[in-house]
């Protein structure tokens, strides 16, 4: 038992008094897990059988074209990624991973807990699936468990909205921020040293430069220079995305970034095919279906598109649903100066198409349109989703700061919705110009419709899932799809085009105005699963169609051990 000192007693009294005050005025927004005292954890009684919703996929690719040094470098990159994985466990859950898993005897339950990085089902609205745990905190482990939203808004402290810090209490109970470089000092120093070792093995000077800058960023919380170096890196056959990047895990405010990593091998042939599309961004920005003031920003002209096989996921990118495309960096200043890089994760994408999207289309899409569900369209829809993150507006037009800051916890879901809808807008424009020559518009729209059912199954705790709920309900209101006599979905092409343009206008206007209240109302009205949609999702469950994939990965899978 920890010894009670005078300082400890003071902190305890402050905490107790604060808790009593909050109980009288406003309930704390977060509730950290209460570890079970039982020796073996059990499933909650009201949990239906969801332990088999992930389809196992071996994450591999051809490495024969790499040198021995490059293969050795991959091992280092995976080692550094494992540290990001460990840090994300701390940010998402808090309880020691090994202690937690040791309390789960059933292999399927243990595997499910590993996939979800804790006792909450990420693809079921973060519902608790293990007995002995409370609801997940919206702020994960980024904020004190007894903190209210009002308290946070009323107090001023350094790095209050800092991407790379957590919020804690000082000895007087006041809120303070602690930089990641200090909070996770030992782990980040280890990861930094591993990246420096990897840099020595890199034959590409730009990649070596990036790894050294990223190593420095991990221990200083200064990531912009390494983001720019990553943007300048064009020719290396190996790539690495690593660090605190996305803010989806912070569902309280969307301010704080979670640790993650991807280790990637470039597909040169597919990348060559994609290179031409980035040049159209400035032209497409001008044609967006919204007032000029919402499209006055000029996308960076140095953006590029490439295809990769991913060989390792870690941390946030590996939790629950698996990412199949990347659009980075998130830094708005870097985006406006350099644009972004769009990385299509081809092998992960193919796995989802084969094992999830095609079976979904056979259950829900009208037979006459199923031929329009193609991998080419799925790949393009995903790619142009990422491209479209570079379109639109990054900073509000009324001095509310960046869109991300103004829209807080809703920023991620609305941004994902924007990227989806503008991706379809781009495809239509490029098909009309003759720049896209594969397939016809119906392929992309019908594949997109099937994709809504795939992504909405990620649940309300996922930004992508919430974005798809909004889009499904909006499209339904606009008549963009309809049910045929047999109960299958059929895309109405003319109404689909009108719905795409009107939803694009709505989202870009909300973003440009930094209209938090407007987005809040949109999410409350449209970001829900209504009875008809739920009935369709139940069909997919009964048909045993996986919700997502789970990767078997690592150096042994790659033959590098």
């Amino acid at each position: 038992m920890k010894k009670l000192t005078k300082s400890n007693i003071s902190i305890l009294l402050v905490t107790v008094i604060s808790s009593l005050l909050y109980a009288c005025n406003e309930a704390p927004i977060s509730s950290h897990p209460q570890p079970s005292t039982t020796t073996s954890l059990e499933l909650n009684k009201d949990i239906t059988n969801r332990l088999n919703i992930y389809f196992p996929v071996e994450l591999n690719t051809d490495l024969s074209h790499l040198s021995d040094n490059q293969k050795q470098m991959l091992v280092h990159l995976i080692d550094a990624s494992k540290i990001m994985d460990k840090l994300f466990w701390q940010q998402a859950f808090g309880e020691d991973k090994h202690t937690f898993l040791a309390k789960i005897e059933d292999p399927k339950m243990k595997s499910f807990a590993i996939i979800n990085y804790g006792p909450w089902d990420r693809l079921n609205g973060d519902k608790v699936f293990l007995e002995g745990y409370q609801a997940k905190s919206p702020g994960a482990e980024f904020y004190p468990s007894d903190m209210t939203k009002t308290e946070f808004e009323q107090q001023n402290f350094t790095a209050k909205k800092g991407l790379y810090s957590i919020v804690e209490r000082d000895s007087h109970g006041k809120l303070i921020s602690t930089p990641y470089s200090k909070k996770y000092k030992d782990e980040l120093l280890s990861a930094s040293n591993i990246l420096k070792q990897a840099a020595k093995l890199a034959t590409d000077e730009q990649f070596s430069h990036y790894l050294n800058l990223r190593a420095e960023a991990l221990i200083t919380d200064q990531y912009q220079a390494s983001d720019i170096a990553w943007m300048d890196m064009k020719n290396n056959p190996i790539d690495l995305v690593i660090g605190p990047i996305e803010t989806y895990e912070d569902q309280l405010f969307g301010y704080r970034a979670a640790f993650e990593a991807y280790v990637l091998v470039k597909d040169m042939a597919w990348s060559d095919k994609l290179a031409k599309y980035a040049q159209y961004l400035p032209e497409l920005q001008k044609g967006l279906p919204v007032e000029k003031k919402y499209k006055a920003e000029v996308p960076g002209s140095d953006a590029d598109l490439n295809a990769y096989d991913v060989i390792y996921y870690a941390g946030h990118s590996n939790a629950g649903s698996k990412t199949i495309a990347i659009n980075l960096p998130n830094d708005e200043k870097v985006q406006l100066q350099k644009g972004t890089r769009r990385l299509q994760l081809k092998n992960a994408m193919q796995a989802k198409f084969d094992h999830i999207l095609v079976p979904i289309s056979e259950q829900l899409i009208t037979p006459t349109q199923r031929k329009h569900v193609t991998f080419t369209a799925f790949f393009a829809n995903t790619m142009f989703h990422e491209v479209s993150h570079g379109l639109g507006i990054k900073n509000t037009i009324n001095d509310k700061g960046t869109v991300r800051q103004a829209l807080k916890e809703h920023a991620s879901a609305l941004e994902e919705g924007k990227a989806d809808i503008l991706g379809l807008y781009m495809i239509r424009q490029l098909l009309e110009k003759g720049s896209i020559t594969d397939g016809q518009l119906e392929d992309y729209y019908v594949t997109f419709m099937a994709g809504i059912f795939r992504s909405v199954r990620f649940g309300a705790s996922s930004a992508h899932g919430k974005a798809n709920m909004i889009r499904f309900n909006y499209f339904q209101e606009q008549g963009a799809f309809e049910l045929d006599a047999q109960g299958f979905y059929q895309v109405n092409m003319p109404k689909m085009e009108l719905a795409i343009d009107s939803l694009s206008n709505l989202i870009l206007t909300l973003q440009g105005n930094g209209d938090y209240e407007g987005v809040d109302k949109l999410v409350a009205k449209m970001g829900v699963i209504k009875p008809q949609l739920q009935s369709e999702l139940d069909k997919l469950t009964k048909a045993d169609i996986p919700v997502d994939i789970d990767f078997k990965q690592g150096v042994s899978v790659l033959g590098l051990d």
Side-chain angles (χ1 to χ4, degrees), residues 74-299:
L74 287 177
V75 175
H76 287 312
L77 300 184
I78 290 173
D79 285 343
S81 299
K82 290 177 180 178
I83 295 175
M84 300 301 106
D85 201 71
K86 177 182 178 181
L87 292 177
F88 181 69
W89 269 92
Q90 294 182 42
Q91 292 181 317
F93 184 21
E95 185 177 344
D96 179 75
K97 175 183 178 181
H98 299 291
T99 302
F100 167 63
L101 294 177
K103 294 186 289 187
I104 306 174
E105 294 181 359
D106 182 87
K108 285 188 176 181
M109 286 171 53
K110 183 172 291 190
S111 175
F112 198 67
I114 291 171
I115 292 169
N116 285 283
Y117 286 69
W120 305 286
D121 187 346
R122 288 176 174 267
L123 303 192
N124 191 23
D126 283 328
K127 193 170 185 178
V128 182
F129 66 86
L130 289 177
E131 289 185 346
Y133 289 90
Q134 296 179 1
K136 185 180 180 183
S137 161
E141 297 294 307
F142 297 115
Y143 305 91
S145 61
D146 61 349
M147 185 195 81
T148 66
K149 265 193 163 185
T150 300
E151 179 189 16
F152 180 87
E153 297 284 10
Q154 289 178 346
Q155 289 196 31
N156 292 314
F157 51 94
T158 304
K160 181 177 179 178
K161 300 180 181 180
L163 272 173
Y164 312 123
S165 66
I166 68 166
V167 177
E168 300 180 299
R169 293 193 184 278
D170 65 14
S171 59
H172 302 289
K174 295 291 186 181
L175 300 179
I176 59 171
S177 66
T178 303
Y180 288 170
S181 57
K182 179 179 178 181
K183 181 69 176 179
Y184 311 114
K185 180 179 179 180
D186 292 342
E187 293 92 339
L188 291 175
L189 182 60
S190 295
S192 177
N193 289 333
I194 292 172
L195 291 188
K196 290 177 181 177
Q197 294 173 33
K200 294 177 181 177
L201 295 168
T203 55
D204 183 273
E205 290 185 7
Q206 289 180 323
F207 188 49
S208 178
H209 180 57
Y210 161 68
L211 289 177
N212 280 316
L213 286 180
R214 205 64 174 179
E216 187 67 19
L218 289 174
I219 57 175
T220 62
D221 302 309
Q222 302 298 317
Y223 287 90
Q224 194 171 90
S226 61
D227 280 347
I228 292 173
W230 187 73
M231 284 299 302
D232 291 336
M233 193 178 69
K234 303 294 184 184
N235 303 312
N236 196 53
I238 294 170
D239 209 336
L240 174 72
V241 174
I242 191 167
I245 298 171
E246 303 290 1
T247 60
Y248 303 138
E249 192 70 12
D250 179 3
Q251 295 183 42
L252 184 58
F253 291 109
Y255 292 152
R256 290 176 156 77
F259 286 99
E260 63 184 320
Y262 305 80
V263 182
L264 307 149
V265 177
K266 194 171 186 178
D267 186 318
M268 298 297 188
W270 273 73
S271 295
D272 287 343
K273 291 196 299 183
L274 305 181
K276 63 180 181 180
Y277 293 119
Q279 64 182 300
Y280 296 109
L281 275 179
E283 177 185 346
L284 291 167
Q285 173 83 349
K286 292 178 182 178
L288 291 175
V290 71
E291 291 181 54
K292 286 185 179 180
K293 60 185 176 181
Y294 297 106
K295 53 185 177 183
E297 295 176 355
V298 180

Side-chain angles (χ1 to χ4, degrees), residues 464-530:
H464 295 81
K466 192 175 293 182
N468 275 277
M469 291 174 199
I470 292 172
R471 190 161 40 261
F472 180 91
N473 291 318
Y474 187 90
F475 280 179
Q476 186 177 43
E477 282 191 0
Q478 300 297 314
F481 56 80
E482 52 205 22
L483 290 173
D484 65 15
Q486 287 73 43
F488 292 110
Y489 284 86
Q490 179 171 320
V491 173
N492 183 311
M493 294 295 289
K495 290 184 178 180
M496 182 72 140
E497 290 193 14
L498 292 173
I500 288 169
D501 287 349
S502 62
L503 184 55
S504 297
N505 182 287
L506 174 61
I507 291 175
L508 290 170
T509 302
L510 288 169
Q511 287 186 320
N513 292 339
D515 187 356
Y516 178 87
E517 290 76 18
V519 179
D520 197 49
K521 290 178 182 177
L522 178 67
V523 171
K525 179 184 177 183
M526 298 285 194
V528 295
I529 297 179
K530 297 181 180 179

